[in-house]
């Protein structure tokens, strides 16, 4: 069983904004998504049943959770409880990791 993967070799999620690229991997009970957002890319407001940890590795991201928007920078982490409305906009080019529990079985590879 393969245990080491290249991020760019992972399945890519089909997203509506061409400035936003997401590769993902599923494990037993979690999904991890590796996001590259170009400046101006938007993650529309949405909610889901999954707990989420978002880790900004590089760049500045305007993260909205419910009605509050905060500016996150590289090295910052946020937690999002299930079913909370959230979204984001890249203020600069960004790299962000999302960790989801339970696993995001709704994530399907781009065709």
């Amino acid at each position: 069983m393969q245990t080491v993967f290249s991020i760019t070799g992972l399945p890519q999620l089909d997203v509506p904004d061409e400035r936003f690229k997401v590769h993902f991997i599923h494990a037993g009970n979690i999904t991890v998504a590796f996001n590259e957002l170009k400046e101006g890319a938007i993650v529309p407001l949405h909610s889901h049943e999954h707990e989420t940890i978002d880790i900004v590795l590089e760049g500045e991201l305007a993260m909205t959770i419910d009605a509050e928007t905060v500016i996150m920078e590289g090295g910052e982490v946020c937690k999002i409880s299930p079913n909370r409305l959230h979204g984001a906009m890249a203020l600069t080019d960004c790299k962000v990791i999302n960790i989801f529990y339970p696993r995001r079985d709704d994530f399907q590879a781009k065709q």
Side-chain angles (χ1 to χ4, degrees):
M1 173 188 286
Q2 184 176 356
T3 57
V4 177
F5 304 85
S6 166
I7 291 172
T8 58
L10 295 173
Q12 189 172 341
L13 187 65
D14 194 14
V15 294
D17 189 329
E18 63 190 31
R19 297 168 295 180
F20 180 22
K21 189 185 308 181
V22 182
H23 291 273
F24 65 94
I25 187 167
H26 297 303
N29 294 311
I30 64 170
T31 297
V32 179
F34 303 90
N35 306 274
E36 291 185 26
L37 298 92
K38 296 293 184 189
E39 182 177 346
I42 294 174
V43 179
L45 287 172
H46 64 285
S47 65
H48 45 73
E49 66 178 324
H50 309 84
E51 290 182 282
T52 308
I53 301 290
D54 289 343
I55 306 161
V56 178
L57 299 175
E58 297 176 11
E60 291 187 356
L61 186 73
M63 173 67 76
T64 300
I65 302 173
D66 296 325
E68 180 182 358
T69 300
V70 296
I71 307 303
M72 295 181 64
E73 298 178 340
E76 295 186 317
V77 177
C78 76
K79 60 181 181 175
I80 304 169
S81 300
N83 302 310
R84 290 189 68 192
L85 190 63
H86 61 284
M89 183 175 78
L91 302 177
T92 65
D93 291 355
C94 295
K95 289 187 178 178
V96 179
I97 294 176
N98 313 119
I99 303 169
F100 299 100
Y101 176 84
R103 142 189 183 131
R104 292 290 304 253
D105 288 325
D106 58 322
F107 275 23
Q108 299 297 320
K110 185 176 184 175
Q111 299 298 322

